[in-house]
Amino acid sequence: DNNNNNNHNNDNDDDYDISQENRKRKKRRSPKARNNSSNSSNSNTTQSLSSSSSSPLEIALPTPLKRKLITDWENITKKHLLIDLPRKKEERISEILTDFEEFSIEQGQDKNIVYEISRGIKDYFNQALQVTLLYKLERQQHGNLIAKNKHLTMDQIYGVEHLCRLFVKLPQLLSPNDLDNDTRKILKDQIECIIAFVLDHEKKYFCTQYQKS
């Protein structure tokens, strides 16, 4: 098992437990907290101003979502099961984000911001999927999907589980300097709204039956 884990790390397998990911985030924050507590008030003010201009994106992950992602991870990496893909039309990321756009605009959100963030998430997902969002067992399936569905983009094939994997990885993928403070806050708020939205409609979007690989 140890050898397998090492191999997974070497080939960028990303077979991680969501709870381990959260512990990593806490560890990354703790040295900064220790440094702040040991500095003078003037130094703290300077550090605060500095960190506010380049603070990392931090997305709140509700416990129900963590549980779903852990179950997804276990089904694929431990039980060797796969999600049936392409997902049904109403379960695809493209459709989920369209549903979210309609909901958000009905709630009074700025439609230009909603559309722009959704478009950005789809673009980033399509670029990041093969590089960092697939478990090892899913890679052959992915190759077959691409060959058979050349007319579809990744957000038209995959569903909410893979979208939420992106949300977990995004703070690592985005440099603090990639976004200004206002954009970072808007992105954080929109992603957390999307997470709340899909959890409110979990029976519609989340996969309940996996298939043998």
Side-chain angles (χ1 to χ4, degrees):
D1 288 341
N2 290 336
N3 290 335
N4 289 336
N5 289 336
N6 290 335
N7 290 335
H8 288 173
N9 291 333
N10 290 337
D11 69 2
N12 193 30
D13 192 22
D14 279 337
D15 284 1
Y16 60 86
D17 185 323
I18 194 76
S19 60
Q20 293 175 353
E21 194 66 34
N22 290 334
R23 287 196 292 272
K24 289 179 186 176
R25 292 185 183 187
K26 291 178 181 177
K27 288 178 180 178
R28 284 198 295 269
R29 289 199 295 268
S30 57
K32 181 178 177 181
R34 287 196 299 270
N35 288 337
N36 284 344
S37 65
S38 63
N39 289 328
S40 67
S41 59
N42 289 337
S43 179
N44 282 339
T45 302
T46 302
Q47 286 189 357
S48 176
L49 291 172
S50 175
S51 63
S52 67
S53 64
S54 60
S55 58
L57 177 69
E58 293 190 1
I59 298 168
L61 302 174
T63 298
L65 178 64
K66 294 178 187 177
R67 288 175 180 153
K68 287 184 178 298
L69 290 175
I70 290 171
T71 298
D72 177 59
W73 174 79
E74 289 176 341
N75 282 338
I76 296 169
T77 66
K78 303 299 183 184
K79 299 178 182 178
H80 306 292
L81 302 173
L82 290 170
I83 295 174
D84 187 22
L85 297 170
R87 296 293 288 273
K88 296 176 183 177
K89 188 175 187 295
E90 66 273 13
E91 298 173 352
R92 298 175 184 179
I93 291 171
S94 56
E95 296 300 313
I96 293 171
L97 291 176
T98 297
D99 291 347
F100 174 74
E101 290 167 3
E102 294 174 357
F103 168 79
S104 297
I105 293 169
E106 287 175 2
Q107 297 297 308
Q109 288 198 39
D110 185 317
K111 66 178 181 180
N112 292 324
I113 291 177
V114 172
Y115 289 148
E116 183 177 351
I117 294 295
S118 290
R119 184 171 62 249
I121 288 172
K122 282 190 284 189
D123 289 346
Y124 212 98
F125 177 84
N126 291 335
Q127 295 174 34
L129 175 75
Q130 187 170 357
V131 177
T132 192
L133 302 181
L134 295 177
Y135 298 128
K136 187 173 183 180
L137 186 65
E138 295 175 305
R139 293 179 183 170
Q140 182 176 353
Q141 180 193 36
H142 176 75
N144 294 335
L145 285 166
I146 298 303
K148 294 178 181 178
N149 299 278
K150 294 180 180 179
H151 61 294
L152 297 178
T153 55
M154 299 304 97
D155 61 288
Q156 295 171 327
I157 294 176
Y158 288 84
V160 68
E161 292 83 5
H162 291 81
L163 176 63
C164 290
R165 292 185 204 172
L166 174 65
F167 294 158
V168 173
K169 299 289 286 185
L170 202 54
Q172 300 173 43
L173 299 174
L174 285 176
S175 164
N177 297 322
D178 287 343
L179 305 171
D180 60 48
N181 284 342
D182 291 341
T183 304
R184 188 184 303 110
K185 184 179 187 308
I186 291 171
L187 180 60
K188 169 186 167 63
D189 291 346
Q190 285 298 104
I191 288 176
E192 290 177 357
C193 285
I194 293 171
I195 291 172
F197 177 78
V198 298
L199 288 175
D200 284 343
H201 300 83
E202 61 178 288
K203 291 183 180 179
K204 179 178 180 181
Y205 298 133
F206 280 88
C207 177
T208 56
Q209 290 187 330
Y210 287 65
Q211 63 182 12
K212 291 183 179 181
S213 59

